């Protein structure tokens, strides 16, 4: 009966030692992250590329349409320049998306 008690005591002592080791390892990892500047992680490259693609696909046609609308007001050709510039903005956005897709991964 006493053997079981000592076995349980050594298990509890071993568990506390492992817990202490884990705490020290976590503290060392946090210190290393702070030292190396990896504490504030930037978004992953795929996420950044996705945001760029979204901005291109929205910004290209909207920007082209806005420029075309202003030119239509100046020249009185509503809606033809707006439509032409919107399609041109879309084409430029698609070209830029292909460039983003062909970037070299980190």
């Amino acid at each position: 009966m006493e053997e079981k008690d000592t076995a349980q005591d050594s298990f509890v002592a071993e568990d506390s030692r492992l817990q202490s080791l884990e705490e020290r390892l976590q503290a060392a990892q946090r210190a290393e992250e702070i030292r190396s500047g990896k504490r504030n992680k930037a978004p992953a490259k795929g996420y950044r590329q996705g945001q760029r693609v979204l901005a291109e696909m929205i910004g290209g046609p909207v920007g082209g349409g806005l420029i075309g609308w202003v030119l239509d007001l100046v020249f009185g050709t509503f809606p033809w320049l707006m439509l032409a510039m919107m399609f041109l903005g879309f084409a430029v956005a698609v070209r830029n998306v292909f460039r983003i897709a062909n970037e070299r991964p980190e």
Side-chain angles (χ1 to χ4, degrees), residues 84-99:
M85 293 299 284
M86 196 177 337
F87 285 118
L88 182 64
F90 180 72
V92 170
V94 169
R95 183 195 62 160
N96 288 340
V97 167
F98 279 118
R99 285 183 176 178

Side-chain angles (χ1 to χ4, degrees), residues 5-79:
D5 291 336
T6 57
Q8 288 176 354
D9 289 339
S10 70
F11 178 73
V12 171
E14 184 176 295
D15 188 41
S16 65
R17 286 183 288 167
L18 287 176
Q19 183 65 27
S20 173
L21 177 63
E22 285 180 27
E23 290 172 0
R24 288 184 291 161
L25 282 173
Q26 288 175 354
Q29 286 173 346
R30 283 192 301 269
E32 179 62 22
E33 286 175 353
I34 291 170
R35 186 189 69 77
S36 65
K38 293 183 181 178
R39 185 78 167 159
N40 299 327
K41 292 183 179 178
K45 183 172 182 182
Y47 181 79
R48 289 192 312 261
Q49 281 183 331
Q51 292 295 321
R52 286 178 58 197
V53 166
L54 180 65
E56 289 287 342
M57 294 306 291
I58 292 173
V62 169
L66 184 64
I67 291 170
W69 180 70
V70 170
L71 291 175
D72 275 336
L73 289 177
V74 171
F75 296 118
T77 59
F78 191 75

